Amino acid sequence: MMAFIEQEANEKVEEIDAKAEEEFNIEKGRLVQTHRVKIMQYYEKKEKQIDQHKKIQMSNLLNQARLKVLKARDDMISDLLNEARQRLAEIAKDPESYSSLLVGLVLQGFYRLLEPKVTVRCRKQDVEMVQAAVTKNIPIYKEAVKSNIEVRIDLERFLPSDICGGVEMYNDNGKIKVSNTLESRLELMAHQMMPEIREKLFGANPNRRFTD
């Protein structure tokens, strides 16, 4: 009887041990799987962060390169306009060409103002040629618009002598101004033709849908 009881007790102990080991293995497997998932999630998150960081770095590098290209293009256009200004200065050194140009600039100023009284301002060294241009254009203007015009050349305030040339014209009270200096005409032309200038220098912009 004692041997039977002892055997049954041993079997019970073995059964308990087996069940405990099974539960231990199940819990261990669960813990291992949980940590494995966490580790995988951690590295997936790290991988995404690294990939995102690479994309940001690449975007920054591309933007920096784009800005450098844009600055180089702007510098090239500035150099081109500076060269054009230097050539404009040469025009004023040729009296025949410059006087003819002044005639056109003065007449254009008359038409743009359409005022009965006009004041013309010019460089001090241009007064004589501007006076000749005014004298020539008054009858042309009167015939075209069927209206009289009085023109005064400002002999007190001159345009800076270091500009390329041209004139500024004002109405009687000075509130309306037409700038027909050579620099202002160049700036206006450059602004109007900038899309064509850029296309000639750098080729057509594939992202530009309209040209005006």
Side-chain angles (χ1 to χ4, degrees):
M1 178 65 70
M2 290 295 295
F4 174 77
I5 292 172
E6 185 177 353
Q7 182 181 356
E8 189 172 326
N10 288 334
E11 289 176 356
K12 197 69 175 175
V13 169
E14 289 176 0
E15 183 182 343
I16 291 171
D17 287 342
K19 185 172 180 61
E21 185 174 357
E22 181 183 359
E23 290 178 352
F24 169 76
N25 288 332
I26 291 172
E27 180 64 17
K28 182 177 73 173
R30 187 187 67 78
L31 290 173
V32 168
Q33 181 64 24
T34 300
H35 284 290
R36 181 182 296 164
V37 170
K38 287 183 179 180
I39 290 170
M40 290 177 64
Q41 289 175 342
Y42 172 80
Y43 281 105
E44 284 178 2
K45 183 179 179 181
K46 279 292 182 184
E47 188 175 355
K48 289 180 180 179
Q49 288 176 344
I50 292 171
D51 188 49
Q52 185 68 20
H53 183 64
K54 286 181 178 178
K55 289 180 179 178
I56 292 172
Q57 281 188 319
M58 182 61 68
S59 177
N60 289 337
L61 290 173
L62 288 174
N63 284 336
Q64 290 174 9
R66 180 174 174 272
L67 290 174
K68 286 182 179 179
V69 170
L70 291 176
K71 185 180 184 305
R73 289 182 174 184
D74 288 342
D75 289 344
M76 185 178 294
I77 290 175
S78 294
D79 291 342
L80 183 67
L81 293 178
N82 286 333
E83 183 180 346
R85 289 188 186 95
Q86 292 174 2
R87 293 187 180 184
L88 280 179
E90 295 299 316
I91 294 176
K93 295 178 182 178
D94 180 355
E96 185 176 349
S97 298
Y98 185 49
S99 61
S100 176
L101 179 61
L102 285 173
V103 169
L105 293 174
V106 169
L107 183 58
Q108 184 186 61
F110 288 167
Y111 288 140
R112 289 176 66 185
L113 284 172
L114 290 174
E115 291 284 332
K117 293 183 179 181
V118 173
T119 298
V120 181
R121 192 173 297 164
C122 63
R123 302 185 304 177
K124 189 173 183 179
Q125 61 264 41
D126 293 340
V127 170
E128 188 175 336
M129 281 190 285
V130 170
Q131 182 62 67
V134 168
T135 302
K136 183 175 182 178
N137 281 318
I138 286 177
I140 298 174
Y141 175 81
K142 287 181 177 180
E143 177 65 24
V145 302
K146 309 301 181 186
S147 178
N148 289 325
I149 183 172
E150 294 180 20
V151 183
R152 179 182 71 89
I153 297 178
D154 192 341
L155 299 177
E156 296 179 359
R157 290 178 295 177
F158 296 101
L159 298 181
S161 60
D162 59 349
I163 69 169
C164 294
V167 294
E168 286 181 355
M169 306 174 70
Y170 301 82
N171 69 334
D172 189 35
N173 60 18
K175 292 184 178 180
I176 303 175
K177 170 185 172 182
V178 170
S179 181
N180 261 358
T181 62
L182 299 189
E183 282 87 350
S184 66
R185 299 303 300 171
L186 174 62
E187 289 174 6
L188 178 62
M189 185 178 297
H191 178 73
Q192 291 174 341
M193 295 184 63
M194 191 55 65
E196 291 87 346
I197 292 173
R198 289 186 177 276
E199 185 172 343
K200 289 289 184 182
L201 290 175
F202 314 120
N205 184 351
N207 298 319
R208 189 180 180 89
R209 298 178 61 186
F210 305 100
T211 56
D212 55 5

